[in-house]
Amino acid sequence: MRHSILLVGILLSGMDAPLFAEDTPPADSATTGSWQMHEYTFTFTGINAAYSCDWLAEKLRLLLNRAGARADIKIHTRCQEPRGPSPGAEAHLGFFALVPATGAGDTSAVWHKVVLRDHMPLAIEASDCDLVEQFRVELLPLFTTRAIENRMSCRGVDNDAVGLNLQFEALMPAGKAGD
């Protein structure tokens, strides 16, 4: 038996082609991308939380940044309550996201794994579950992503850490990956 395993190992080591091909390159594999402008009006419709204009802008900036948006994100908000939590808070967004380059590309890019859970990143909390879910549905499709694992469950009044769980790989500038 031992000799059979050794013989199979020797035979396989001499093969030029890999035995199993991957469908997608691993995270952090290098490629090139081009920046694409997006404008979007985001109206928060969650039922388990309300945000002030400033807080909605900060949370959206964090989520856009984590998904790979360029640093020059523009956010203009409008709320019914100017100083406190406001149902139906609205944000007009302008941001750039990477798309795969069709030619030479203008920026070096890598695939990077993003994890959004309670306190991952620190400013995202279980109470943000509705916001992260709406981000996934409305804004994440504007980014180049793959391997999306949606384990979100925001139903009910008491969200817990188990309810907020979104993971995906996003195309990001090579210097930004790992932030």
Side-chain angles (χ1 to χ4, degrees):
M1 178 72 172
R2 185 173 174 205
H3 296 288
S4 298
I5 294 172
L6 181 60
L7 180 59
V8 169
I10 292 170
L11 290 172
L12 289 176
S13 67
M15 297 175 71
D16 290 334
L19 190 57
F20 301 102
E22 293 182 5
D23 291 338
T24 58
D28 296 325
S29 61
T31 187
T32 56
S34 299
W35 291 109
Q36 183 178 58
M37 174 65 179
H38 296 282
E39 292 185 4
Y40 193 87
T41 300
F42 182 93
T43 304
F44 179 64
T45 59
I47 58 172
N48 296 317
Y51 295 92
S52 68
C53 276
D54 289 343
W55 201 230
L56 179 64
E58 288 306 311
K59 296 279 184 167
L60 286 172
R61 184 177 310 281
L62 174 65
L63 291 169
L64 292 168
N65 187 293
R66 295 297 285 191
R70 206 165 70 182
D72 57 350
I73 299 167
K74 305 283 189 244
I75 301 177
H76 301 285
T77 56
R78 189 174 74 195
C79 296
Q80 296 171 1
E81 301 292 328
R83 297 195 181 152
S86 181
E90 186 175 277
H92 301 280
L93 309 171
F95 63 93
F96 289 87
L98 278 178
V99 296
T102 55
D106 62 355
T107 213
S108 179
V110 295
W111 287 100
H112 180 69
K113 184 164 186 161
V114 178
V115 176
L116 298 172
R117 289 191 191 140
D118 186 31
H119 297 293
M120 288 181 69
L122 188 59
I124 296 295
E125 302 169 0
S127 60
D128 296 318
C129 192
D130 284 340
L131 178 65
V132 173
E133 176 65 15
Q134 190 173 343
F135 171 83
R136 179 192 65 81
V137 170
E138 295 182 28
L139 295 172
L140 197 56
L142 302 176
F143 291 86
T144 302
T145 59
R146 66 183 188 190
I148 297 172
E149 294 180 34
N150 176 24
R151 296 184 184 144
M152 301 290 293
S153 177
C154 301
R155 305 294 176 236
V157 176
D158 296 325
N159 287 321
D160 58 13
V162 176
L164 197 163
N165 188 347
L166 178 63
Q167 299 177 40
F168 56 92
E169 291 181 17
L171 191 63
M172 296 193 186
K176 184 173 181 166
D179 287 349

